[in-house]
Amino acid sequence: MLKNIYLCLLAILFSGCNSVSQKEPPSELSVLVEQYIKTYQARDNFKQFLTYYDEHVVLEDMLYGVKVTNKKAFSEFFDWGAGSFKVLDGKRTFDVSQIIVDQKQRTVVLSGEFNPFSYNEQKLGPWRFTTILQFNQAGLISYQQDWINYFPRSFIGEAKNLNVVP
């Protein structure tokens, strides 16, 4: 009887050694988000960056107090060509510390930190951030909500209160 128990345990042990963990392939949305992050981090191709966005994208920058409701206004707000921008210490524009992908709701939450940079000779950053992205069925960002810890606060001036619905 004891010998049979040992044989069963041994069989279970060996069968466990033979099972191979199958890693699920990344979802289409996860792959798209990784490409988006790389494009944004490089910050060298604004036209490519804009291809990730829907024509009717809504952007809410909650601390800056800005809300835009189309790609043209989004483009003007993000305009990488305006001003003199340079990431300091040879780093990427930002680093992501967490990515949460909700495939069913087509929503992604990114959090991380914008690395120190200069903008029009003013040294800024690091700035922690959390960004919520919602993707439509075409795989384009239709909604973006930014929470960026801008500092110094004087950098953002007088921000509108986006908590108030007009």
Side-chain angles (χ1 to χ4, degrees):
M1 173 77 166
L2 195 53
K3 184 178 179 183
N4 288 340
I5 293 173
Y6 284 130
L7 287 174
C8 285
L9 288 174
L10 195 56
I12 291 170
L13 177 67
F14 285 133
S15 68
C17 292
N18 289 334
S19 68
V20 177
S21 174
Q22 293 285 330
K23 199 173 191 183
E24 225 178 275
S27 69
E28 182 181 321
L29 185 55
S30 294
V31 171
L32 180 61
V33 168
E34 288 297 329
Q35 293 168 347
Y36 167 81
I37 290 169
K38 286 179 184 174
T39 301
Y40 195 171
Q41 284 175 326
R43 203 177 190 273
D44 62 2
N45 189 337
F46 191 58
K47 285 183 181 182
Q48 182 182 4
F49 175 71
L50 291 177
T51 66
Y52 292 97
Y53 290 90
D54 183 79
E55 288 298 321
H56 304 287
V57 64
V58 173
L59 164 71
E60 293 182 309
D61 188 312
M62 300 306 289
L63 297 179
Y64 211 86
V66 170
K67 181 176 182 176
V68 301
T69 58
N70 60 60
K71 195 171 186 175
K72 182 179 184 306
F74 177 91
S75 170
E76 290 168 357
F77 179 72
F78 264 83
D79 188 7
W80 288 356
S84 172
F85 176 89
K86 182 179 181 203
V87 181
L88 304 177
D89 301 326
K91 295 183 178 182
R92 298 180 290 205
T93 303
F94 61 90
D95 291 311
V96 176
S97 57
Q98 185 176 35
I99 302 172
I100 301 169
V101 178
D102 183 332
Q103 187 67 39
K104 284 185 180 180
Q105 294 190 27
R106 301 192 59 77
T107 300
V108 175
V109 178
L110 305 173
S111 61
E113 185 174 276
F114 283 96
N115 289 310
F117 63 96
S118 67
Y119 182 74
N120 291 338
E121 306 302 320
Q122 182 180 7
K123 289 184 180 178
L124 300 166
W127 292 346
R128 290 174 43 198
F129 73 89
T130 299
T131 295
I132 301 168
L133 303 170
Q134 291 179 347
F135 290 79
N136 61 23
Q137 291 304 315
L140 298 173
I141 300 168
S142 57
Y143 177 78
Q144 178 170 330
Q145 185 180 88
D146 284 338
W147 293 86
I148 301 170
N149 189 23
Y150 298 109
F151 198 84
R153 295 286 184 242
S154 60
F155 182 75
I156 60 173
E158 292 184 29
K160 292 180 185 174
N161 182 356
L162 295 183
N163 294 304
V164 179
V165 179

